[in-house]
Amino acid sequence: MTGKTLLDDCFLHDKDRLRHHEALTILEERVSRLANQETVRLEDALERLLAETITAPRNIPLADNSAVDGYAFRHADFDDAGGFFPLQQRIAAGHTSDLELAPWAAARIFTGAVMPPGADTVAMQEDCETHQQDGKDFVIIPQGLKKGANCRRAGEDVAEGATILGEGQRLRPQDLAAIASTGQAEISVFRKLKVALVSTGDELRRPGDLITVGDVYDSNHFLLRGLCATLPLEITDLGIIRDDAVLVERTLKETAQTFDVVLTTGGASRGEEDHMLTALDRLGNRHMWQLAIKPGRPMMFGQIGACTFLGLPGNPVAAMVCFLNYVRPVLNVLAGGDFLQPQSFLIPAAFDVPKKKPDRREFYRGFLQTDDEGRTLANKFMRDGSGLITGLREADGLIEIPEEVTEIRRGDLVRFLPFSGFGIR
Ligand code: AMP
Ligand code: MG
């Protein structure tokens, strides 16, 4: 017996640390929707999370209409040779006709115009010939059109009463188009989550400041600010806190009273100059810390009063990997959405890893390549350092290697998680 609890021991073996899936389970179980609702105009709703269900109040489209510029007619009037029909009426988009189409007659019609009563089929103007006889206009419609051709039916996009979008859905341009097509000008969305960003470390300086040997620019702030921009959050920059136990604790305590979430980087380990852990333990509850993953072992998750605390490691690669895997789904749930899981594809590896440690999950910086036969392969950034922003920059995504894998050979299928699936454009 060492007298230490497992969770606090920095010399834990990976097999005793929390596994990736266990961490996801803890996070998913502990967080729930926090955000209130607000009403916004549709033009301001892009990328917000919907706080209502959108149903179609009427058929979309409202009425049967023509899909092309052409001639509307009754399919039953067709004979073996096609049709030779007098033109009875003319209907342009935005106009309707109450005039019932006479038997063996056609209507000149334009894209989007409502079908005249009685007509069921439209011939494209390019396929037809017009003809004048005795001062009257006729159209010759060739054979071969199926009943209903080139006619859009009322409700064929969405039928009256059908659900279009559900609560919690992130609104993409095409979703806004769908809401607009119902005629709704304002919608209810979840209020943006108030997130405070904190960087910690005596060595940190902000771009624009002078540095000397030993200093490092606070690149994580910009990394996290950018990652946060992929979610509906209201970000407040609390700047850099020095590695001072009292200062760290005071900042966290004050921040927790005003913000929904405090997201920190650095100071997450057990070193003498790492104060996040102690501060969190003194002020609130810790639900998670040491993970069996590489990079990013120390990833804190806890609660200070009503405020969710998320503490990322200081190394930029670890910070990004942990943000994407753990912080992103948590923030999205708190903000009113789902526990987001990344899109992934199995792709043959263009690399070998002769020996991988078992019991831990690894995330490589991955990029896609094409081989001589045009097949897509996933390659890995070859340098390992968790401080190398270059690898993050050159990557198209992450390659996720499960715990049990101990060796990868070229051609093995590996799981590739594109950055675009994490909302990074
Ligand atoms: P820490 O997690 O505080 O032990 O930091 C681990 C490593 O990440 C150290 O080399 C730090 O200098 C570096 N680091 C910590 N915070 C940042 C930051 N905000 N931006 C860039 N590097 C950082
Ligand atoms: Mg530090």
Side-chain angles (χ1 to χ4, degrees), residues 81-95:
F84 183 82
F85 300 130
L87 283 179
Q88 185 206 18
Q89 49 182 317
R90 183 181 188 278
I91 316 157
H95 301 270

Side-chain angles (χ1 to χ4, degrees), residues 200-201 203 243 266-267 273-274:
T200 69
E203 73 280 32
D243 289 320
E273 298 296 341
D274 297 327

